[in-house]
Amino acid sequence: MGPRVTQKSIAEHCGVSTATVSYALRNSSRIPMATRNRILAVAKDLGYQPDPGLASLASRRSTRGNVPLTSSVAIVHPNAKDSRPSKLFEYHSRHFKKRMSELGCLVTDFHIDHDRYRPERLAQILRTRGMKGILLGWGQWPESMKRFPWNEFAVISTERTDLASSIDKVSMNHFHALDDIFQHLEGSSYKRYGMILHDDCPNNTVKHILGAYYANLYERPSLVGIEPFRYHLGEEPDRLKQWYERLKPDLIISHRIIDLNYFARAGINIPDETGLVILEIDEESSVDFSGVYSGAEMGRTIAVSLARKIRNEEINATRSNGKLTFVNGVLHEGSTCRKGGRQ
């Protein structure tokens, strides 16, 4: 018997991203019908079967339609429910909970802002409730959480949460996203590329983004790369205006969404004079931003990864470095960048 056919191998065979394959296998309307049919045909020819371990979790259902719990997991948030980090993470949390429910797992949220739960007390609650897995939310973690016994649980986070090196992480594939953006704008009128990074972006993520950014510029000598701008949430637009007027980018790639009014106050006319592409769109917005959308894939991938860890009884006790799993987003043309960059 040969190696198991995975969504990644189907993606390589079809020349598309893993995220596109995932959507197509769920018959999502986000993927054109012709592409869906082609991917489904290739999956059938290759003999694709869903992960048997996860399928067995999902299949443990009673004839009455109830889902017997195979495990209980916790989402631990460092900030209050109405804080910006918690609200941003809610998008991924919603899809995480849905996928976990399909796998037969109950999810409970814990907000530990203002030391609402002492580490020892929180650990005792999780043990008492039989919670084997933990997903870490976004925000500023209190110093006291260093005392939490992480080595007793299966723990996973996104790359925005860097609480311990032994914790497995799931991250947006910034290499893939920047490759898609540069390829999409190949031959366009955009020539001067600027990058905006939020100053709360983890250092490892900054390295990944800048590495892919400069690699794509190196491969395209006709383009001009501009020194990155480090944006601080809530600051006045004066520094951005100075950066823009000094370096004159005609395309801006922003790591995350920034309010368009902020650009307007800095004298940046989007999209008529300057295009704006968002590298990682993981929040809902009334603006049709151009960029790479993570969709439901981040939450679902986190759920699958944590379910596997629980099933295999993987805890962090014997780990020095956690695994990093990348999620590919889907490029959307949007309205903040002129079509193809052409005037």
Side-chain angles (χ1 to χ4, degrees):
M1 181 181 294
R4 189 172 67 86
V5 178
T6 65
Q7 292 186 14
K8 182 178 179 181
S9 57
I10 297 172
E12 291 173 349
H13 192 93
C14 296
V16 298
S17 70
T18 306
T20 299
V21 171
S22 179
Y23 282 123
L25 293 176
R26 294 195 301 274
N27 201 30
S28 171
S29 60
R30 294 183 63 151
I31 306 302
M33 179 63 74
T35 303
R36 270 184 278 164
N37 289 339
R38 179 166 64 90
I39 291 172
L40 290 171
V42 168
K44 182 177 180 181
D45 290 343
L46 295 177
Y48 171 76
Q49 294 291 333
D51 186 315
L54 294 177
S56 67
L57 283 176
S59 66
R60 296 177 189 178
R61 302 174 183 270
S62 71
T63 56
R64 295 182 181 180
N66 296 322
V67 183
L69 299 180
T70 60
S71 182
S72 294
V73 301
I75 303 179
V76 180
H77 306 267
N79 297 103
K81 186 175 182 179
D82 59 353
S83 67
R84 175 175 168 79
S86 295
K87 288 180 179 178
L88 288 174
F89 191 66
E90 196 278 331
Y91 181 73
H92 298 310
S93 174
R94 185 166 70 246
H95 293 292
F96 170 81
K97 291 175 180 178
K98 183 176 185 298
R99 186 69 180 110
M100 272 300 191
S101 176
E102 293 168 354
L103 296 173
C105 294
L106 175 67
V107 180
T108 304
D109 291 271
F110 294 89
H111 292 268
I112 61 171
D113 53 296
H114 306 298
D115 286 328
R116 180 179 302 178
Y117 295 96
R118 291 180 295 106
E120 299 80 5
R121 174 60 177 158
L122 178 62
Q124 184 59 43
I125 291 173
L126 301 189
R127 295 187 196 107
T128 301
R129 297 188 185 184
M131 293 184 169
K132 299 179 180 179
I134 300 173
L135 168 61
L136 302 180
W138 289 345
Q140 188 66 38
W141 289 87
E143 189 71 15
S144 62
M145 286 305 289
K146 291 183 178 179
R147 304 198 308 269
F148 185 86
W150 301 110
N151 60 349
E152 293 184 22
F153 302 89
V155 187
I156 198 163
S157 74
T158 71
E159 202 172 12
R160 287 194 198 178
T161 300
D162 195 12
L163 201 57
S165 61
S166 61
I167 295 174
D168 288 351
K169 298 178 177 67
V170 175
S171 172
M172 184 77 162
N173 191 337
H174 299 110
F175 294 97
H176 187 276
L178 276 162
D179 286 349
D180 278 356
I181 290 170
F182 274 86
Q183 289 172 13
H184 176 69
L185 296 174
E186 195 84 59
S188 73
S189 64
Y190 295 127
K191 300 302 178 186
R192 297 180 62 82
Y193 282 47
M195 171 70 72
I196 294 181
L197 295 166
H198 291 231
D199 63 2
D200 64 348
C201 185
N203 289 331
N204 283 340
T205 304
V206 171
K207 291 178 182 178
H208 290 159
I209 292 173
L210 291 181
Y213 173 66
Y214 288 123
N216 273 283
L217 288 171
Y218 179 80
E219 294 172 357
R220 297 166 175 83
S222 63
L223 301 181
V224 177
I226 292 171
E227 67 183 63
F229 177 82
R230 297 302 294 262
Y231 166 73
H232 178 71
L233 181 65
E235 71 172 310
E236 290 299 314
D238 300 349
R239 284 198 315 115
L240 178 62
K241 183 176 183 179
Q242 294 171 8
W243 174 82
Y244 178 76
E245 291 179 347
R246 178 168 60 91
L247 299 172
K248 303 295 184 184
D250 55 16
L251 177 77
I252 295 174
I253 302 174
S254 176
H255 174 208
R256 300 202 295 270
I257 288 175
I258 299 175
D259 192 330
L260 290 184
N261 290 328
Y262 187 78
F263 289 101
R265 289 168 57 205
I268 304 174
N269 187 347
I270 293 173
D272 295 336
E273 295 178 2
T274 306
L276 175 65
V277 183
I278 310 301
L279 181 60
E280 180 181 351
I281 302 175
D282 54 13
E283 59 185 280
E284 295 170 333
S285 172
S286 58
V287 178
D288 184 30
F289 283 102
S290 304
V292 180
Y293 286 72
S294 62
E297 288 309 300
M298 183 71 77
R300 288 175 178 148
T301 300
I302 294 170
V304 168
S305 299
L306 187 56
R308 283 184 178 138
K309 285 171 68 69
I310 293 170
R311 183 192 69 205
N312 297 330
E313 297 184 349
E314 295 179 18
I315 60 174
N316 298 332
T318 59
R319 292 265 197 92
S320 57
N321 291 296
K323 296 182 293 185
L324 177 60
T325 301
F326 287 116
V327 174
N328 292 333
V330 177
L331 181 66
H332 174 67
E333 194 161 271
S335 62
T336 58
C337 184
R338 298 189 303 274
K339 186 174 182 180
R342 296 179 177 81
Q343 295 177 325

